Amino acid sequence: MLEAVSAVVREAGAIAADRCGTAFRRWEKAPGSPVCDIDLEVDAFLRERLTALDPEAGWLSEETLDTSDRIERPRLWVVDPIDGTRDYLRGRPGWCVSVALVEERAPLIGVLDAPARGEHWTAGRGLGAWRNGERLRVSGRRRFAGARVPADQLSEADGDLVAVERPNSIALRIAMVAAGEADLAATLRWGFEWDIAAAALIAAEAGAAVSGALGQPLAFNSASGEAFGVLVATPAIHSAAAERLRARAMDLV
């Protein structure tokens, strides 16, 4: 099944890449939430092909109206046809197609395809994580100070950390931790399961500690399809990162 899903997601990535930079319609679903014709085209392609692979699985996608019957299904496809749409619309490479198959509230398969970066990521529960056929492993970072974070700019409060490349796609930022190219990636806000499900499995299978923003366990196929943030880090610094985010969250209350 992992090989079959990988092939479908790679094909979806090629569809999106071929249309990038061409004429297509774009609009905002809500202020600050861009979408384009290609999001919908890729979503429709994925729904047809993935449903054929597992007709019993439910469907949760950024570009499809959610239906409650998914909660009763044995498995769930969790899909973001183009994660990092802003980069896609600007012709930048920081976007990917993200697909996860969830079973019993945990990802079973995770695949990312980032054709503009020449990257294809796969993971299966208990099978490890891979990029372009190479096995992934998180960095051996043990000290929180000096940890690399995908960020355009770090705040003064995070001056003890080191900013590295930040793709618009949160899935790719998480995957960077899996590849040892960053030591932690985090968001401190409500977000959607389709943003993180595939990448969370890739990171976990590469040895990362994966949780919600405050260190809470992640569980997918919730009624809302949402999660409060995400924190992915090398195991030795995860608790320190969660502590910092927890203090920040208290300031927001």
Side-chain angles (χ1 to χ4, degrees):
M1 177 66 91
L2 176 56
E3 289 184 6
V5 175
S6 172
V8 169
V9 177
R10 193 186 292 276
E11 194 171 344
I15 292 170
D18 286 347
R19 295 290 307 278
C20 190
T22 65
F24 51 78
R25 193 167 62 96
R26 64 187 76 188
W27 65 97
E28 287 197 346
K29 294 178 289 187
S33 182
V35 66
C36 67
D37 287 340
I38 317 307
D39 288 281
L40 305 185
E41 183 180 338
V42 173
D43 186 68
F45 169 82
L46 287 169
R47 187 162 195 177
E48 178 183 355
R49 296 289 296 276
L50 294 173
T51 299
L53 289 178
D54 188 346
E56 294 186 352
W59 184 263
L60 179 65
S61 167
E62 181 170 13
E63 307 305 342
T64 306
L65 182 66
D66 189 19
T67 54
S68 59
D69 75 325
R70 64 178 169 79
I71 300 173
E72 311 303 324
R73 301 290 187 97
R75 290 170 300 283
L76 175 71
W77 293 111
V78 183
V79 173
D80 195 339
I82 300 179
D83 185 47
T85 299
R86 287 186 183 86
D87 271 11
Y88 183 84
L89 294 175
R90 295 167 182 162
R92 297 176 181 173
W95 60 273
C96 69
V97 179
S98 174
V99 170
L101 181 62
V102 166
E103 184 177 60
E104 297 180 354
R105 307 203 71 188
L108 181 67
I109 288 172
V111 180
L112 306 176
D113 192 68
R117 296 165 64 97
E119 296 175 344
H120 186 77
W121 311 70
T122 60
R125 191 191 304 169
L127 300 176
W130 310 78
R131 179 176 62 182
N132 297 347
E134 293 188 12
R135 185 74 179 258
L136 298 175
R137 194 69 195 165
V138 296
S139 77
R141 186 83 197 174
R142 303 194 62 80
R143 294 183 64 248
F144 184 59
R148 298 164 297 164
V149 186
D152 295 323
Q153 183 176 327
L154 291 170
S155 67
E156 185 177 343
D158 291 325
D160 56 340
L161 304 178
V162 176
V164 295
E165 173 206 7
R166 180 190 180 277
N168 184 230
S169 162
I170 179 60
L172 287 176
R173 300 199 296 268
I174 292 170
M176 288 172 65
V177 178
E181 295 167 354
D183 303 305
L184 74 93
T187 63
L188 187 60
R189 59 178 175 79
W190 283 98
F192 293 97
E193 294 179 12
W194 54 68
D195 292 320
I196 61 174
L201 179 63
I202 291 167
E205 287 294 320
V210 179
S211 71
L214 307 181
Q216 75 275 24
L218 286 174
F220 296 91
N221 201 14
S222 65
S224 67
E226 294 179 286
F228 182 67
V230 64
L231 171 58
V232 177
T234 57
I237 68 171
H238 183 270
S239 60
E243 208 170 300
R244 179 166 295 186
L245 288 174
R246 198 173 298 117
R248 199 159 293 170
M250 293 299 293
D251 291 340
L252 296 175
V253 175

